[in-house]
Amino acid sequence: MRRLVSVVLVVFFAFLMMSRFLESGFFVNELSSNYYIFNSYTEVGSKNIVTGIYLDYRLLDSIFEAGILLVSVAGVIFMSKKDENVKR
Amino acid sequence: MISVILALGIFIIGIYGVLISKDIIKSLISFNIMQASLIMVYMDFSSLDKNQVPIYAEEMHKMADPLPQAMMLTSIVISASITALVLMMSIKVFHYFGTLEWEKIIEREEL
Amino acid sequence: MINLIFIPIITAIFIYLIKKEKVIKYSLIINFIEILMILNLIKNVMENGSIKIIIGNFNEIIGISMELDLIGSILLLTTAFLWIVVTLYSFEKHSKDYKFYFFLHFLRGTFYGLILSNDLFNMFIFIEIISLISAILIIYKRDGYSLRAGVYYLLFNSIGMIFYLLGIVIIYINTGTMNIEGLMTVSLNGTMKMGIALVIASAGVKSAFFPVYNWLPKAHTAAPSAISALLSGILVKTGFIIVIKIARYIDYNIYFEFLTVVGVFTAILGFIFAMSQKDVKSILAFHTVSQSGIILIGLAGVKTLQIGGFLHLINHALFKSLLFLTVGLIIRKYNIRRVDKIRGVFKRLPVISVFVIIGMLSITGFPFTSGFVSKVIIKNYYHSSVLMTFVMHILNLGTIISFMKMSQIFFGSTHNKEIKESFRENISVIILGVITLIMGIFEMYTLSNYFDMSIYVKLKDFVVYGIYLIISYGFYTNFLKKEAKIFYTIRHTHLNFRNANVLLLTFVVLSIIFI
């Protein structure tokens, strides 16, 4: 019973997404992509545009990505301390 | 365009996996499948019919979109951190409860 | 403005490196410095309009932009104030745990970043860090009860945020930029509406809307009391921050009816579950779900309704944390959590019980308190619709009934001689209680002077409140006390993880259809 409901729901979700995508076509707006490609070497100075984005245009994202690594490692270290309780 | 539909198909498989998995590890694996398929969706939208590598060259015709690629670098790291934390928590859950199935952990508790 | 994000994070790193207790206690001064900075920013916003910056001074299409307006600055002030109170509260018990304060300060820094940020992917990163740190803080005690709540919370919220990622790729291929202001520049065709619906569905997972609220009672009951206050107060509102930011740039008619219906169901289901619980913290946690429904009814509409919803967001942060902190003190002294076993709070702990009563009066909408102001704004907008007035009356009745059930802890007496008060433990609760008490009158004053909306307290409101009390007393003595069978069944319905995800997928499908 649950498997039937899950399959119906998932197929319905897939059908809904496909119909919305196919009615407007896969048209990609190239506004920021053109800006990055044409102005990145003069503003940032790196020839690899992805590096330029990752380290200069979107620096705040990279800082907080390092932050989430820090918090995750601190959490794993904190959780793995042995404590004296037994079951429950 | 076929690649987008295939990547969304893998996303659908991931959602189905979350809906019917009976223990924590299978839910986690299905979550990782969903995340990986989303990475493929982003990459497909960045290079639909333009497939030159986005490195500065003299003639630029049809360079791929560099922004989703940078976003996905961050997203891979985030998904790895969450997976690490859930795995550590499930080790502790196994110490306390002896089992990892969802039915036996979230049990009725007369408080 | 960027300094406001990084000062708590650097404090957190210093606390983790230098592990002494004096450093932890002196880092409370940093909170006060932040309140001064926020007050300076509020003065700047009120003179010059909203402040917009782009990090690195790039073009606004491609850079990460941050914006501060009046709504954001009030949220910043509430966040800073709540963090001061919670830090003071946890100096009693956790004073030597430097790891606890590391996570607490880091969380504050990223929450400031979420309020300020105006860029879709940046908000995703901040929300994921908030989920991660909240999960670590929920399982701080590391016993079985908190661990299973923590795993459920983290996995469910992460699955919800995957739908957010799918939503922003659809928005990105239509608008071409990751800035939220790109939503203004494109006309809304079918694909854009699907992207916005996915984003709103994942905001619903974070803020406990109707089908996807299941993680909230488990997580907020199992967490330590200070963290419960912080979670229910301000961290459950991250979904509403997403909805507020989107609602600035698109037409509200897209999601108005759908979100109002979801809000009504959330509010009613919240208090039906809250009436049948026996653990004191479970009652409060289910009430968070119910009040989230009321905030959603407010935020989904026109500007008057949005002011009411936003005011209820701030008021709920204040009085729900007051209730959680006072109940935490009571539980710590009595060592029991069941509402029918705790007795004699009013005789032994008079100061704490006064503040519990202030919290209860605020949440039920007694005239002159802050809950009254926000509920009256929403009720006045819907005064022409019979159905919504009926729903609002039922909500008030339900809230009063369950708090009447909770107020049985005041009567009677207890034989335990060791339960007494001390001033050092009460000081954080006193500060928060006084601010909650004067908040209602302060809001009525500001609304009538600066915003052109006057809220009057008439004699009719006191009479209506009295009628609510009489009806709910009758209901309570006849039905609730005798422990009818239906409440037992409601209390013991537990939702599996699989079934909860089926409900999540149903919610996503419904929101794609109706938005």
Side-chain angles (χ1 to χ4, degrees), chain C residues 202-357:
Chain C
S202 74
V205 171
K206 291 303 288 186
S207 276
F209 293 171
F210 159 58
V212 285
Y213 63 89
N214 261 301
W215 54 273
L216 197 137
K218 298 184 165 81
H220 289 207
T221 318
S225 289
I227 305 298
S228 274
L230 214 53
L231 278 175
S232 260
I234 200 90
L235 290 177
V236 81
K237 317 275 175 33
T238 51
F240 292 122
I241 292 179
I242 300 176
V243 171
I244 289 176
K245 281 186 197 280
I246 290 183
R248 271 189 223 142
Y249 296 106
I250 62 174
D251 185 20
Y252 71 95
N253 278 317
I254 306 178
Y255 53 76
F256 175 49
E257 291 153 355
F258 176 67
L259 283 185
T260 315
V261 171
V262 168
V264 165
F265 272 114
T266 316
I268 293 186
L269 235 71
F271 79 79
I272 290 182
F273 274 102
M275 276 198 292
S276 40
Q277 300 294 320
K278 278 196 178 174
D279 186 355
V280 191
K281 282 170 90 166
S282 294
I283 298 181
L284 293 176
F286 274 108
H287 268 292
T288 306
V289 175
S290 176
Q291 304 292 314
S292 280
I294 300 181
I295 299 177
L296 188 60
I297 296 177
L299 281 179
V302 283
K303 193 157 167 62
T304 350
L305 266 184
Q306 276 181 334
I307 292 182
F310 180 67
L311 274 180
H312 199 71
L313 200 150
I314 302 291
N315 297 339
H316 176 251
L318 291 173
F319 55 66
K320 192 47 81 73
S321 0
L322 178 68
L323 279 170
F324 261 113
L325 288 179
T326 48
V327 162
L329 277 178
I330 294 177
I331 291 179
R332 191 194 288 173
K333 291 184 195 295
Y334 275 78
N335 263 336
I336 356 168
R337 284 163 72 139
R338 289 183 59 146
V339 78
D340 44 358
K341 296 238 170 78
I342 302 179
R343 286 281 182 268
V345 172
F346 199 67
K347 270 192 207 162
R348 295 294 187 128
L349 312 165
V351 177
I352 295 181
S353 41
V354 162
F355 286 112
V356 177
I357 293 178

Side-chain angles (χ1 to χ4, degrees), chain A residues 54 58-68, chain C residues 6 9 106 129:
Chain A
Y54 187 76
R58 294 206 152 240
L59 185 60
L60 202 69
D61 289 350
S62 310
I63 291 179
F64 278 101
E65 168 191 341
I68 196 174
Chain C
F6 282 106
I9 295 181
F106 206 103
I129 301 185

Side-chain angles (χ1 to χ4, degrees), chain C residues 468-485:
Chain C
Y468 284 154
L469 277 179
I470 297 175
I471 298 181
S472 49
Y473 187 69
F475 188 84
Y476 170 64
T477 41
N478 286 337
F479 284 116
L480 269 190
K481 253 196 169 165
K482 305 223 171 96
E483 196 51 46
K485 195 79 171 130

